[in-house]
Amino acid sequence: MKYITVTNISKNNLKGFSVKIPLQKLVVIVGPSGSGKSTLVHEVLYNNSIKNEWDIKNLPKVIEILKQKVIPPRDSKLSLGEFNFDQLKMKLAAIHKGDLLIVDEPCAGFCEKERKVILKMLKDKVKQGYSIIAVEHNKEIIANADYIIELGPGAGRYGGKLIFEGNLTEFKKSGTITANYVFNASKDIFKQGIIEKGKEVTISKISAGNFNNDSFTFPLINLVCLTGCSGSGKSTLLNVVYRALYKGKNAWKIRLKTVNVNGKSNVRRSFIVPQSPIGDHPSSTLATYVKVWDNIREIFANEKLSKQSGLTKSNFIISKSILEAKSDFPKDVLKVLYQGRNIKEVANLTIDEALEIFKSDTLIVRKLEFLQEVGLGYLVLGQKSGSLSGGESQRVRVAKILSKKLGDRSVYLFDTPTRGLHLKDIPVLVDVFRKIINKNNTILIADNREEIFHYCDYRINL
């Protein structure tokens, strides 16, 4: 068997990383979000086919990469799932036998029927002698792969290590966290919510997408899940609910006037939580997005040495140039220390580490502890906002919601919140959802992963 051989590569959280990847097989790369999967396929394999930065043996000259969209193009008349499915079909039809195709989460957002079709498409191509690598969290692809590579054990600086490499039979016996969730996890792990008959919302006269004068009812103060294959109207319905219930600034611009809403007085307002990347400004970081960097800059500006040197808050800003490692903070700025660390060292702290350093500052702790709570304690304060995965970005938004004084009677809407999440992270997300619901709020999600169905109080199949 011919292998791509990666030896002693260091990139992001991959340090001295080595792995063998067989060709003409369906290879699946698994592991927690942020464990190094994207670094391996995008920044090492794909970029090396262009830049030839490292000596990687047997790497095909042409590497095609397909990453799912999280928002369909504006000019597309297809649903997000239909668009992504068409892109996959076209990419599979266009590749040549000597090429390598990398597909990033090919099954994300799809129903079980569609996932089986996608698996068959990939397997049929491999039988014809093609090489395919899939980065995936869905059980169907993992449980039917020819070869598994698992990264971990955690994420960020706690990840980047090769946990397992081998065929499916070996993987089943490996006892890794992913193998256990895929092959051994029983439904006993999952917790079903308790349904109480109470207030609900009914939206009628819905005429949007493929809905024609339809009606939709969902219970409040529950975790409600919309399921259904691509094109069934899940995203359309989320948008209808959002617009019908929205009471924020300029609500008249987006509010649907053609529908009837019963139970609207039971809802204060609606919030839609997108999966698109956070912070599109070139100098946006995780810390600036959650507005904790202002607090940290103020602490440094109030240090005795800062005042003696005439330094202010503005001297501790992370510029685009610093973020891209083209320049550094001035020497007098780096001399200012807090708890023995300068501003650059603080920017490189993880959320977990920063919580320990700033444990006496209640405001900073409040903003950061929710990031830790949604399972993102491994992220670095000064990390570029645009470098976060879709799943990470959405969880950052959830943490930001939690960090505010939560009002009641709100409806929060999420489209495929489990996208990019390892199986072990789904219970973490649900626990956070429950905290929002316990404040007299409602969570309405559109998702097709069976692992989250067991947690939902109410399920509506379209």
Side-chain angles (χ1 to χ4, degrees), residues 44-180:
V44 174
L45 299 180
Y46 179 69
N47 282 354
N48 206 70
S49 69
I50 301 168
K51 299 178 182 177
N52 201 25
E53 187 175 349
W54 296 288
D55 180 23
I56 300 177
K57 290 183 172 57
N58 297 323
L59 187 68
K61 290 182 180 178
V62 177
I63 297 180
E64 296 288 342
I65 198 159
L66 179 63
K67 189 172 184 179
Q68 274 207 347
K69 298 282 186 186
V70 294
I71 299 173
R74 288 185 179 180
D75 58 351
S76 176
K77 294 181 180 179
L78 301 173
S79 70
L80 177 61
E82 290 170 327
F83 177 82
N84 282 326
F85 189 69
D86 275 5
Q87 292 296 301
L88 178 60
K89 284 196 295 186
M90 287 191 286
K91 188 66 79 172
L92 286 170
I95 61 169
H96 299 94
K97 275 196 176 178
D99 302 345
L100 170 63
L101 174 63
I102 297 171
V103 285
D104 199 343
E105 287 201 77
C107 286
F110 289 108
C111 68
E112 183 180 11
K113 178 182 174 183
E114 292 169 319
R115 295 196 300 264
K116 287 179 178 177
V117 171
I118 290 169
L119 173 62
K120 187 176 185 304
M121 287 164 56
L122 298 178
K123 295 286 279 186
D124 285 350
K125 210 68 180 175
V126 168
K127 284 177 185 175
Q128 296 168 30
Y130 291 82
S131 301
I132 297 177
I133 294 176
V135 176
E136 189 56 90
H137 293 289
N138 270 287
K139 288 182 178 180
E140 281 89 353
I141 299 292
I142 299 171
N144 289 278
D146 299 315
Y147 197 86
I148 311 281
I149 293 168
E150 182 166 353
L151 303 185
R157 63 180 59 169
Y158 309 119
K161 294 181 174 60
L162 181 65
I163 302 302
F164 175 84
E165 58 177 330
N167 63 40
L168 188 62
T169 303
E170 295 166 336
F171 183 62
K172 286 180 180 179
K173 300 174 183 176
S174 67
T176 70
I177 188 165
T178 304
N180 282 336

Side-chain angles (χ1 to χ4, degrees), residues 296 299 338 346 349 354-361 364-365:
I296 292 171
I299 285 174
Y338 175 76
V346 167
L349 293 175
L355 276 166
E356 180 61 29
I357 298 299
F358 295 104
K359 61 186 176 185
S360 61
D361 191 298
I364 291 177
V365 168

Side-chain angles (χ1 to χ4, degrees), residues 27 37 158 202 225 232 265 276 286 298 314 317 351 412 430:
V27 178
K37 303 184 301 296
Y158 309 119
T202 297
C225 184
S232 60
S265 60
S276 53
L286 176 66
E298 192 164 341
S314 61
I317 290 173
I351 302 300
Y412 293 92
V430 173

Side-chain angles (χ1 to χ4, degrees), residues 315-331:
N315 294 107
F316 298 94
I317 290 173
I318 304 176
S319 66
K320 179 187 174 185
S321 180
I322 291 173
L323 193 59
E324 294 177 351
K326 294 177 181 177
S327 66
D328 203 348
F329 289 99
K331 289 182 180 178

Side-chain angles (χ1 to χ4, degrees), residues 286-415:
L286 176 66
T288 57
Y289 180 79
V290 298
K291 301 189 183 304
V292 76
W293 198 245
D294 280 347
N295 306 101
I296 292 171
R297 288 194 297 126
E298 192 164 341
I299 285 174
F300 273 88
N302 285 328
E303 285 293 309
K304 185 177 179 181
L305 185 56
S306 290
K307 291 178 177 178
Q308 290 174 348
S309 306
L311 299 174
T312 64
K313 275 180 69 175
S314 61
N315 294 107
F316 298 94
I317 290 173
I318 304 176
S319 66
K320 179 187 174 185
S321 180
I322 291 173
L323 193 59
E324 294 177 351
K326 294 177 181 177
S327 66
D328 203 348
F329 289 99
K331 289 182 180 178
D332 57 341
V333 171
L334 291 176
K335 286 180 182 176
V336 180
L337 303 180
Y338 175 76
Q339 298 288 334
R341 289 173 170 82
N342 61 36
I343 194 71
K344 183 178 179 180
E345 290 167 331
V346 167
N348 286 320
L349 293 175
T350 65
I351 302 300
D352 292 335
E353 293 166 340
L355 276 166
E356 180 61 29
I357 298 299
F358 295 104
K359 61 186 176 185
S360 61
D361 191 298
T362 54
L363 191 56
I364 291 177
V365 168
R366 177 175 174 77
K367 291 179 178 180
L368 293 182
E369 67 183 357
F370 292 110
L371 287 166
Q372 189 182 58
E373 205 167 312
V374 297
L376 296 176
Y378 62 88
L379 292 181
V380 172
L381 288 176
Q383 188 167 343
K384 286 184 186 178
S385 298
S387 70
L388 302 178
S389 70
E392 288 172 331
S393 296
Q394 198 168 52
R395 280 189 286 165
V396 169
R397 286 190 172 97
V398 174
K400 199 171 181 181
I401 290 168
L402 283 171
S403 70
K404 297 175 181 177
K405 190 175 180 181
L406 269 181
D408 64 351
R409 297 181 298 116
S410 292
V411 176
Y412 293 92
L413 304 112
F414 295 81
D415 199 341

Side-chain angles (χ1 to χ4, degrees), residues 206-212 214 230-234 236:
I206 300 171
S207 293
N210 57 357
F211 295 105
N212 184 18
D214 287 311
S230 301
S232 60
K234 300 184 300 298
T236 299

